[in-house]
Amino acid sequence: MDARYVFAVRFRVEPAAGGVSLDPEEFETRLSRTADPPGEEGWLFFRDNLWRGEIGDERHFRELTSEALGVTVTSVEYRALRTDEEYYEALKDEIRANLPEFKDDSVAAVVSKYLGSSVEVEH
């Protein structure tokens, strides 16, 4: 099983030495985070951080990303959950087994509520 959350990250590099400058000072890149296996610790990352295909608390997520990367992150945008079919089926099965926790009546509604239409299943 293979799945990754993908984000667009914009960050600023601030030179530590005097007399040094950068042009541009900001850069944009893609950040990938491995999706934890369904049912294991961390598998609810999507529920805890995303809402309708967007980051729920952008400021907090930006701070966490800054800490993880060691640079000043100026913006983070969720792009997609890129997954293989095996992971996606396991994720849906785990959601189905925990529907009351999501306060929803279907797996499709939960996926839409948190991931929006930003799920890319690779065949």
Side-chain angles (χ1 to χ4, degrees):
M1 288 193 308
D2 183 43
R4 305 186 71 69
Y5 294 98
V6 180
F7 301 89
V9 177
R10 189 160 190 76
F11 65 96
R12 181 179 315 119
V13 177
E14 298 167 3
V20 176
S21 64
L22 296 171
D23 186 24
E25 295 177 334
E26 286 195 4
F27 304 88
E28 187 166 308
T29 191
R30 291 221 179 251
L31 170 77
S32 295
R33 179 200 182 278
T34 301
D36 296 301
E40 293 187 15
E41 185 175 343
W43 82 278
L44 291 170
F45 176 86
F46 69 94
R47 183 205 63 190
D48 298 341
N49 293 286
L50 302 174
W51 183 254
R52 306 231 184 264
E54 302 285 333
I55 294 173
D57 184 345
E58 199 268 339
R59 180 177 173 219
H60 175 69
F61 202 86
R62 190 176 63 240
E63 290 170 0
L64 292 175
T65 306
S66 289
E67 290 173 18
L69 299 178
V71 294
T72 302
V73 172
T74 58
S75 69
V76 182
E77 295 177 13
Y78 171 71
R79 291 291 187 237
L81 170 63
R82 289 200 180 129
T83 179
D84 60 22
E85 289 182 38
E86 181 182 5
Y87 181 94
Y88 193 47
E89 290 305 315
L91 178 65
K92 292 188 293 187
D93 289 345
E94 194 66 31
I95 291 170
R96 187 174 296 105
N98 293 282
L99 267 178
E101 183 176 334
F102 294 101
K103 297 180 175 125
D104 228 315
D105 58 354
S106 74
V107 172
V110 171
V111 170
S112 177
K113 184 182 350 182
Y114 295 101
L115 297 166
S117 60
S118 301
V119 177
E120 299 173 2
V121 180
E122 299 170 350
H123 303 276

